[in-house]
Each structure stands twice: as C-alpha cells, then as structure tokens.
Amino acid sequence: MKIRLAIVSVTAAAWLALPSAAAATGVLVNPQKPCYYSGQKVTFGGNGFSPNGSVKVTSDGAQIGILSTDVNGVFNGILTVGQPKGQKTKAYAATDLANPALTASLNLTVSALDVNVRPRSGRPGRRLRINARGFVGSRNLYAHVLRGHTRRNVRIGRLKGDCGLLKKRKRVFSNGARSGTYTVQFDGKRHYSRKTKPRVRFRVFVFRRLKSSSVSAAGTSWVRLP
C-alpha cells in the first residue's frame, strides 16, 4: 500500500460529501465502491485540517505517506490500495501533523488480485481448477488465449460477490493445441485488450514429447507473469 503525492482534478460533485472547512474534519475516496482490487488507484482527499499544513496518511495504523493541505485545509492525492492475499476491510486515516486532534478515517474493503490455476502442467485439454478473486465490477471472468495474431476468448464463469470471486473447473486449451508459446490473460471483458484492468497474465508453453517412434504426448507449463 502506498500513497503518491499528486495534484489531481476531480469534479465538485465528488467532494460534496465532505464537510466544509469550518465543519468537522472528514475524508473521502473517489470512486466509491463496495470493494477495490489490490493495486487499484483512487483519489483520497479530505478537509477540515490546518491550512497550509501537512497530514499523515495511514493504512491500519501504519504510515504510508504525507500530503499537503491548501489555504482552506483541503488535501487530495492518489492512493494505491494493497492487499497481498484474501480480502480485508482496512482503515485509511488522515491525521493533521500540527494538530493531531484533527483526524478522520474511513474503511475500504480491498481484495488481492489473483488467479490460481491447477495443475500447471499436464496435457493441454485437461480441465483446470481455476480460483480467482479481485475482478471487481465485472460479471464474468474470461481467459484470452493469444499466440501471434491468433486470439481466442474463453468464458470461464460468473463472478460472485462485491470482490469478484470465482471457483470453476474449465478447459482453456484443446488436446489438439499446437506446440508453441501462448499468453493467457484473465480479465472481466468479453474481448481482449492489452489495456484492460484488472488483469492477470500467464505464459503457457505447449509442447509434445516423443514417446515412441510414432506416438507423442502433449504437455503444458503455466508461468505467472508479473
């Protein structure tokens, strides 16, 4: 988890929920969602703090950044939420450095972004156990199988809950898949785009091993990409 100092432009409507500078101290994120995926960037802002000062931003009590306030005691910046595994409701708070009594916090539910494929080896056409989470805001999970200029979109199944969860057994390749190196991108869009987020990508090697003079066996190897 980290916060990046930034001057951001947001619509006035996004901050109407914040109290005025003369009222109680408050914080807000934009967009507001029931769940966020790890690595997602949101605007984090607040008002009611000391003018022309600084606020300490914390995640579950651990400091993750310092932001400056303007003449009205208002601040905003870009917050990158994080959760290494599972999902958790986390407290994000801002505390005035000059007057620690000025503090405000909010709770955000954050999910790890992950696709677990098992087994990661074996014949191409076998059904895989696919466990996924963190695909927030999407109805379905898709696997986009890419090799050269060839693309194939495979619907894996329906995502459940606010944090986009899925457990499914599904074939991604056929037994007759050609040998070579493939990229498989999991995301919530029906059609492939390299710009889609959130996403999880794998490099998949499909190969054939000679068992006898006339018989070969196909295999695969899945490697998670950063």
Side-chain angles (χ1 to χ4, degrees), residues 3-4 8-18 26-37 39-46 67 75-81 92 106-108:
I3 193 163
R4 176 164 59 86
V8 294
S9 174
V10 294
T11 62
W15 301 108
L16 287 178
L18 285 174
V27 291
L28 183 70
V29 295
N30 184 44
Q32 297 184 35
K33 296 183 177 182
C35 186
Y36 301 83
Y37 65 87
Q40 185 171 0
K41 291 178 172 58
V42 298
T43 302
F44 180 72
L67 290 172
F75 74 87
N76 58 64
I78 302 299
L79 172 70
T80 304
V81 298
Y92 290 90
L106 51 76
N107 292 330
L108 302 179

Side-chain angles (χ1 to χ4, degrees), residues 37 185 187 189 191-199 201:
Y37 65 87
Q185 175 173 303
D187 61 45
K189 299 294 185 181
H191 299 290
Y192 168 75
S193 170
R194 68 178 63 187
K195 297 181 180 180
T196 299
K197 291 184 179 180
R199 68 185 185 190
R201 292 161 63 89

Side-chain angles (χ1 to χ4, degrees), residues 2-164:
K2 58 183 178 180
I3 193 163
R4 176 164 59 86
L5 292 176
I7 298 174
V8 294
S9 174
V10 294
T11 62
W15 301 108
L16 287 178
L18 285 174
S20 67
T25 303
V27 291
L28 183 70
V29 295
N30 184 44
Q32 297 184 35
K33 296 183 177 182
C35 186
Y36 301 83
Y37 65 87
S38 184
Q40 185 171 0
K41 291 178 172 58
V42 298
T43 302
F44 180 72
N47 69 353
F49 296 86
S50 298
N52 297 318
S54 298
V55 296
K56 175 179 68 174
V57 181
T58 59
S59 170
D60 286 341
Q63 182 173 324
I64 56 174
I66 301 287
L67 290 172
S68 299
T69 60
D70 64 13
V71 294
N72 297 311
V74 175
F75 74 87
N76 58 64
I78 302 299
L79 172 70
T80 304
V81 298
Q83 177 62 24
K85 61 181 180 178
Q87 69 186 59
K88 183 181 179 182
T89 299
K90 312 182 74 168
Y92 290 90
T95 302
D96 195 297
L97 291 180
N99 181 5
L102 298 176
T103 185
S105 66
L106 51 76
N107 292 330
L108 302 179
T109 299
V110 184
S111 171
L113 176 60
D114 187 40
V115 176
N116 188 10
V117 177
R118 290 289 185 271
R120 291 196 179 185
S121 62
R123 57 185 176 82
R126 73 185 306 172
R127 296 175 69 194
L128 303 172
R129 299 188 301 275
I130 301 173
N131 292 344
R133 65 167 55 250
F135 292 90
V136 299
S138 297
R139 297 183 63 184
N140 297 291
L141 182 70
Y142 293 88
H144 308 287
V145 183
L146 316 171
R147 183 174 184 265
H149 297 292
T150 302
R151 299 174 182 176
R152 187 167 60 89
N153 306 306
V154 181
R155 181 182 178 273
I156 303 301
R158 185 70 175 264
L159 294 163
K160 298 181 180 180
D162 293 332
C163 292

